[in-house]
Amino acid sequence: MSDLIQAVLNTEEKTDLRQFASLLRTSDKKYLLRNEILHAFGEYCQNYEKSEQFHTSSRLSKLIYYVQEIILVNESLCMIIRPRIARQEAYRLLEDLTIEPITPEELLDLRDRFVNHYHPQDGDIFEIDFQPFYDYSPTIRDPKNIGKGVEFLNRFLSSKLFQDSSQWEDSIFNFLRLHCYGGSQLMINERIQSRQQLSDRVKQALSLVGDQPADSPYQTFRFDLQNLGFEPGWGNTAHRVQETLEVLDRLIDSPDHQALEAFISRIPMIFKVVLVSPHGWFGQEGVLGRPDTGGQVVYILDQVKSLEQQLQEDLNLAGLEVLGVNPKVMVLTRLIPNSDSTLCNQRLEKIYGTKDAWILRVPFREFNSKLTQNWISRFEIWPYLETFALDAETELRAEFQGIPDLIIGNYSDGNLVAFLLARRLKVTQCNVAHALEKSKYLFSNLYWQDLENSYHFSLQFTADLIAMNAANFIISSTYQEIVGTPESVGQYESYKSFTMPDLYHVVSGIELFSPKFNVVPPGVNESVFFPYTRQGDRLLGDRDRLEEMLFTQDDPSQIFGTLDDLNKRPLFSMARLDRIKNLTGLVETFGKSTALQERCNLILIAGKLRTEDSTDSEEINEIQKLYQLIDQYNLHGKIRWLGARLSKSDTGEVYRVIADRQGIFVQPALFEAFGLTILESMVTGLPTFATRFGGPLEIIQNTVNGFYINPTEQEEIAEIIIEFLDKCEQNSNYWNEISQRGIDRVYSTYTWKIHTTRLLSLAKIYGFWNYTSQENREDMLRYIESLFYLLYKPRAQQLMQDHLTR
């Protein structure tokens, strides 16, 4: 039994537990979530005149704090308790305070019963359980180390080296022999025939390079090393070659995890990289703000540029200039024939500022030209992804003149395609979720049948399970993306156990303690997003043009609203117009607060201005709601709504123009997986107010370099902003202090150089791990393929039939 429950039952507080449970049974609501439970307990304490100490520090209050859900079934009360991160327990509480544990399978049945989809007479429902496959591999024990997978894996691998040195030296020896480029052997050649010979030759090579001046180019002693059995890849100078050989020598003689990571990270094994992002409008110009198109495009394009630079730097350091080796990076996305004046109908597009990085667009096969010629919502593209992956494989092989070394999936659809490609090409697969829809839409799995026509969650959640388990490693932007906080469940954690009534039960959907998870936050493009104080780097013409657009320009085609008083402080936000981004919530907050209206102008850059210009149902609803709120609260003269699509450079300058007027940036999303706009606003110098649900909790240090807001508490949002404005009036330097701390925070932690260096190191370590444990992964991959063909594919074909009739 839970220690939390037992602690209550062992004291007089068990009477309070009985009374509180009785109170809940009289409620009309039969499924309560954590916030509702805490609110109900607060009411109980107030109604029964309990002390503040009881409300906050009693054994019962501690139990209530850890209860995530309560389901009322007849006279019993089911409590789902999360005593610590990544762990969940369920108990049935009867009226006489009898406590019975509930198994994961029973809990899933209970949830089905709650929505009237429990049919025991039809036999057992299909169960998905990945746990047995993770029994083969090492797992992390301490929740604090979740997201530090590569560090754990290095320690595990080096301990194996120490325990069975001969086996693992053979692994390293054979792994080194694998590497080649364009027909040229790298690292070691046939003159080294065994692990023992490798160890001896390393010491001879160290003696050889030790006699060279440290800065001697590799070419001057290349052939001497070659005679010993060493090919290009060890370094570009005598000093670099010596360092690499010393690390290997240490690894052979006395292995440790630092030596292992240092050595594997130096091996030139990644030359060609594919990043997969099928949905939305993927391009470099004229796409941001379109449906399904936002931060992920910015993220990927910035990541590509940094990846190419880091790859080139690493290859040069490895001494591969002698072979003329250059990296190649491709973004695989969907070609949209009816491209609406964008370049999304262009098969190949060079990425600005790169030497050999491209956007490769592959069309969906033409099952129904009315659909496949046009943009398709991310919720509808599932039937096309398998054939897209097959066609993309042919295109990628042609462009690379071979196969890539690393495939990085983005979002649910991109990760599924990454799995299909990686499985066929037998290369390392990395997943980046950015955001998992299951966390965005409350009870989306429980009521999936009601939502299926609009969202097709049965396909999306199945794709997520397939891709996240198939991936060699997963990159998250934050720790809480994986396992949440003590108060909230993480995005990946929500896949641990759940039901899709009448479809399947997930008993164990993902191992959260797997070393495949790594927290590697993205950076910000420092050439575009930089502090407003760097006046010398700003273009005067751009600044004047954008200032006019933001505050005074009259252009009904892309601007709604005029400002009566230009001296008010600008309150600024920029996002897509969809429900989760919650810009209408910000407008309502502004409308309800006369104090905010007296001191600020609200300026929004968001989507389109007219419903007839949109084909996205959520965007249409938000446009209608925004106009309604402006009229309802009579915000005319106090709000500017720009439906303009900005270039990236204009976006950076817009933040700076707002900062020139000592404005603030508000990000009111109901949930934000990470929040690139938060990094952008902070680094340009704007004091930033961001949702406390999701990634911003790890970016911002509250009241130090930014502020948390609860997007569901509109009065509280207004109070937090007004308190900030009051402090600015009391202390003329307060705005500048918060501004500078935000800038410092980004430069110290969130740069693309840090990100890509870590990403490439991870890819190499997991490539080595995959090589040494291939036989264990194959069992899981076969299971995953079964789920794809038996669950995913039939439903995708069903959706395709629907598309064919449209």
Side-chain angles (χ1 to χ4, degrees), residues 3 125 157 182 213 227 251 288 315 343 429 463 490 580 612 639 678 732 745 771:
D3 293 339
I125 192 169
L157 288 172
N227 286 332
L251 189 61
L288 295 181
L315 295 176
L343 294 180
Q429 175 194 349
I580 295 297
E612 58 267 25
I639 186 172
I678 293 164
S732 60
R745 173 67 172 165
Y771 170 76

Side-chain angles (χ1 to χ4, degrees), residues 646-663:
L646 302 178
S647 66
K648 187 186 289 187
S649 60
D650 278 355
T651 301
E653 188 59 26
V654 160
Y655 288 118
R656 290 187 285 272
V657 168
I658 299 292
D660 288 335
R661 298 188 178 216
Q662 293 212 326

Side-chain angles (χ1 to χ4, degrees), residues 56-71:
T56 59
S57 305
S58 63
R59 291 176 177 83
L60 180 56
S61 71
K62 187 176 181 181
L63 168 62
I64 296 300
Y65 177 84
Y66 289 106
V67 176
Q68 288 289 319
E69 302 171 37
I70 289 178
I71 307 172

